[in-house]
Amino acid sequence: MRLENLYIYNTPLRCFRPGSVVFSEKGIERVEWSDKEEGTRKLFLIPGLIDIHMHIESSMLTASGFSEAAIKHGTTAFVSDSHEVSNVFGEKGLLDFMSIPSISDAFYALPSSVPASSGRLETSGGSFDEEETLRLAEDRRIIALGEVMNASDLLNPGDNRTRRIIKAFRKTRPECPVEGHCPRLSGSNLAAFIASGVDSDHTEQTPESIKEKITAGMFLEIQYKSLTKANIEALSEPRYQGFYSLCTDDVMPDVLINEGQLDRVIRKAISLGLKAEDAIFASTYSPSRRMRLFDRGIIAPDRIADFVLLSDPDSFEIESVWKNGREVYEKKCGLVVKSPEWQAPEYALSSIKCEHVTAEDFSFPDSTGSERIVTIKHFPHTTMTGRGEAFIDLSKPLPEGFCILASVERYGKQSPVKPVILENGFRKKAAIASSWAHDSHNILVMATDGSLAAEAVNRVIDIGGGIVALDGDEIVEVPLSYGGIVSLESPEKLAERISLVRAFMRDHGYEADEEIMSFAVLALPVSPELKVTDKGLVDVRKSEVIEWRLG
């Protein structure tokens, strides 16, 4: 087959040149460059997009559902760190999840943080250590070690789980990269982190961190929230090209359907001043080299025939997508292929093992009148939390903006509920409960009172996992029947449901740039500063459970 009269992206020169490409399903045969434009066709051909840092389950979809949505946006390959399903089901669950078919090429990073912290701080359904790592690393679908989140393990001497996992992976797969997660690390701590064998970071950046980390030898994966004018100016340095890629990390289902996937990140980067040619380089060639995917990422002979045709690089308007030499998406006709049929394993559809709760489970029975307590302070425009203090009479209705927050253990241990108080939560009577709660995926609930908390949690249990928001009159539900974290509905139907939850949260006074994700990470005990787990109130910096009462 031949596509001609195009402007083809020339990767080594980082520019477009007139030409034609000859290819088949076996790959690209040759590129015929021209010194002059021919014909009237004004389309721009680039390699298929490669997203090397993402989590399929963040879109609440399987690889089949995700790829059907993402390939329309030009993503022909992705590397998923599926630590969400691993935290729910462990080793077998990860292997089964990786077996789900996909239109795009699905590669995987072996999760290094299952659970994200430790059994002292949270209960999860799976746990990976040296033994699991050695077995899973033999699977050739795995091409990297997933993000190492527990930086404290690497900054402290001696044997620990994170060090054992890195050592086991590098022993088995020395050719594969080790991915990192190191917000705010700098100086000697950053050097120690890199020296442990971890040489990438995908967390939120600043111009200063970009310069320090790249010059220290790190590869950066730049996600949407790191795209600012200042950061783009820093990344535009010619000497930094090839040392970073664009990535998505987490894309909610309604954003995926309505705004895009990696193409959404590209468009924002271009709008902030990154040259389109550099954004394409950082979404095709750079990520392919980082992940040793040498058969793609460039339009050249003997590479996979994965293409995206654009009407204009600067607006990044996609006209069609080709996978393995076949057109799979066309703007006017839509998606022209489907993922192969598959069936979810029975165990994945019955994963919620906890009993119903009552309003009393969310009370503070030993509270006597107004007392000074520690609160988790939600910051509306970040996913970080802070430490607050308040005088509250916990035997009475909570003041406006204060909510009960709890993580209900869901794996059958029937642990007692240990509620805490969240500041800057709902401002109107409401509750939301979700078994999609990073990363251990116990049932996280935020409510203005105990009765609504119990009602929301019990409804999540009844539907076999998912998200439930209610206020006594209105109820919004998102069934996530696969492990309580993934939907088996179409991406479009799931996106509709998520949009309703998002609107409910806003209407009831919860302020966040990304409402559902902001709520979900209130249970993630590896990002500052205070979080809640089924064990209670966790001080992330001290890595310990603390008392909510100040005395």
Side-chain angles (χ1 to χ4, degrees):
M1 188 173 290
R2 180 187 183 94
L3 291 175
E4 57 188 12
N5 300 329
L6 300 168
Y7 297 107
I8 300 173
Y9 183 71
N10 185 291
T11 294
L13 301 180
R14 293 205 299 279
C15 70
F16 286 94
R17 294 178 58 195
S20 303
V21 59
V22 180
F23 60 95
S24 68
E25 63 179 16
K26 295 180 181 179
I28 299 171
E29 296 175 14
R30 65 184 183 276
V31 181
E32 299 173 353
W33 301 106
S34 173
D35 293 329
K36 60 181 181 179
E37 299 178 17
E38 298 178 2
T40 58
R41 196 174 190 186
K42 300 291 185 182
L43 291 178
F44 297 77
L45 184 141
I46 68 171
L49 305 182
I50 305 169
D51 188 355
I52 61 168
H53 185 87
M54 53 82 68
H55 312 277
I56 296 173
E57 308 97 307
S58 287
S59 298
M60 303 179 194
L61 293 163
T62 64
S64 289
F66 172 80
S67 65
E68 286 184 8
I71 203 153
K72 299 175 186 177
H73 298 285
T75 302
T76 56
F78 57 85
V79 182
S80 177
D81 182 352
S82 290
H83 58 216
E84 316 299 351
V85 78
S86 302
N87 269 289
V88 176
F89 293 125
E91 185 177 351
K92 175 175 171 52
L94 175 60
L95 290 170
D96 286 341
F97 196 74
M98 290 195 303
S99 298
I100 298 172
S102 168
I103 299 172
S104 304
D105 289 332
F107 301 97
Y108 290 86
L110 196 164
S112 67
S113 303
V114 180
S117 57
S118 72
R120 290 186 302 104
L121 300 183
E122 58 185 326
T123 302
S124 67
S127 180
F128 288 177
D129 206 318
E130 180 180 17
E131 184 179 343
E132 291 80 9
T133 301
L134 288 170
R135 284 196 299 268
L136 287 165
E138 297 289 347
D139 193 307
R140 293 293 132 169
R141 293 171 294 186
I142 288 172
I143 63 171
L145 184 65
E147 61 178 295
V148 175
M149 292 191 284
N150 198 342
S152 62
D153 271 4
L154 303 183
L155 302 181
N156 293 310
D159 177 68
N160 56 55
R161 182 171 63 107
T162 305
R163 289 186 182 278
R164 290 192 299 270
I165 286 173
I166 294 173
K167 182 179 179 181
F169 185 79
R170 295 182 78 183
K171 175 183 177 181
T172 311
R173 301 290 294 278
E175 78 283 5
C176 294
V178 176
E179 296 288 272
H181 174 120
C182 57
R184 302 182 183 179
L185 280 192
S186 184
S188 59
N189 283 341
L190 179 63
F193 190 80
I194 298 172
S196 72
V198 186
D199 66 344
S200 80
D201 181 39
H202 68 279
T203 58
E204 197 160 358
Q205 304 296 339
T206 64
E208 294 74 24
S209 71
I210 288 170
K211 179 179 180 180
E212 180 182 15
K213 289 174 179 177
I214 288 180
T215 56
M218 269 195 154
F219 185 89
L220 296 185
E221 293 148 359
I222 306 297
Q223 57 173 292
Y224 194 87
K225 67 183 180 183
S226 281
L227 295 177
T228 65
K229 279 190 174 294
N231 284 349
I232 289 298
E233 185 176 345
L235 291 169
S236 294
E237 284 264 7
R239 57 188 173 177
Y240 291 166
Q241 305 312 308
F243 292 95
Y244 74 91
S245 70
L246 301 180
C247 75
T248 60
D249 195 10
D250 303 300
V251 179
M252 297 295 289
D254 55 337
V255 174
L256 173 61
I257 294 301
N258 299 320
E259 299 180 34
Q261 206 260 341
L262 190 54
D263 61 325
R264 171 177 175 258
V265 183
I266 293 170
R267 279 192 293 273
K268 184 178 181 185
I270 293 171
S271 74
L272 291 171
L274 189 65
K275 289 174 60 178
E277 291 82 357
D278 290 344
I280 293 165
F281 190 85
S283 306
T284 56
Y285 191 75
S286 291
S288 73
R289 268 46 197 169
R290 169 66 184 171
M291 288 295 160
R292 280 66 167 173
L293 296 172
F294 299 123
D295 59 354
R296 67 195 71 211
I298 182 173
I299 307 298
D302 198 36
R303 290 349 189 257
I304 289 174
D306 289 357
F307 312 130
V308 179
L309 281 170
L310 307 170
S311 58
D312 173 47
D314 289 325
S315 63
F316 213 80
E317 185 74 22
I318 295 174
E319 295 295 322
S320 66
V321 180
W322 295 67
K323 181 78 192 79
N324 293 326
R326 178 186 177 192
E327 189 175 35
V328 295
Y329 168 77
E330 203 276 327
K331 186 176 179 180
K332 293 179 181 177
C333 303
L335 192 65
V336 296
V337 295
K338 286 283 186 181
S339 295
E341 293 291 327
W342 66 281
Q343 189 157 356
E346 186 58 37
Y347 73 83
L349 305 179
S350 55
S351 66
I352 307 295
K353 306 297 184 183
C354 58
E355 297 174 354
H356 280 187
V357 293
T358 68
E360 288 300 310
D361 291 314
F362 299 96
S363 66
F364 299 80
D366 54 349
S367 174
T368 56
S370 294
E371 53 186 314
R372 193 161 160 252
I373 65 170
V374 178
T375 65
I376 298 177
K377 184 176 287 189
H378 157 64
F379 296 123
H381 300 293
T382 75
T383 55
M384 301 292 187
T385 58
R387 179 189 177 101
E389 295 181 8
F391 281 98
I392 297 179
D393 186 342
L394 295 172
S395 65
K396 295 181 178 180
L398 294 174
E400 183 180 301
F402 288 83
C403 286
I404 295 167
L405 184 71
S407 177
V408 180
E409 189 276 316
R410 58 164 280 190
Y411 295 104
K413 295 180 172 56
Q414 312 305 337
S415 305
V417 179
K418 296 182 177 179
V420 299
I421 297 298
L422 177 75
E423 197 172 338
N424 296 327
F426 287 133
R427 297 189 177 279
K428 292 192 256 182
K429 177 184 173 184
I432 182 170
S434 175
S435 55
W436 189 83
H438 296 322
D439 278 344
S440 286
H441 301 288
N442 290 299
I443 302 176
L444 181 66
V445 60
M446 172 176 66
T448 50
D449 64 62
S451 295
L452 287 174
E455 185 181 351
V457 170
N458 290 338
R459 186 57 189 158
V460 169
I461 295 169
D462 291 342
I463 64 175
I467 305 172
V468 173
L470 51 83
D471 59 11
D473 297 313
E474 179 186 3
I475 182 167
V476 180
E477 295 181 355
V478 183
L480 300 173
S481 54
Y482 192 111
I485 58 173
V486 165
S487 172
L488 297 180
E489 295 184 308
S490 72
E492 292 75 16
K493 179 63 177 177
L494 175 62
E496 287 179 22
R497 291 184 185 272
I498 288 297
S499 294
L500 292 174
V501 173
R502 197 187 298 282
F504 179 98
M505 295 179 76
R506 284 196 300 266
D507 291 347
H508 289 78
Y510 187 76
E511 296 181 29
D513 289 340
E514 175 40 80
E515 296 87 357
I516 298 172
M517 181 62 74
S518 165
F519 169 62
V521 297
L522 290 173
L524 181 61
V526 292
S527 59
E529 176 176 356
L530 296 182
K531 297 297 173 78
V532 69
T533 73
D534 62 299
K535 305 290 187 180
L537 183 62
V538 175
D539 185 316
V540 174
R541 299 189 192 282
K542 294 180 180 178
S543 193
E544 63 183 33
V545 179
I546 63 172
E547 282 292 325
W548 55 265
R549 181 186 284 107
L550 283 167

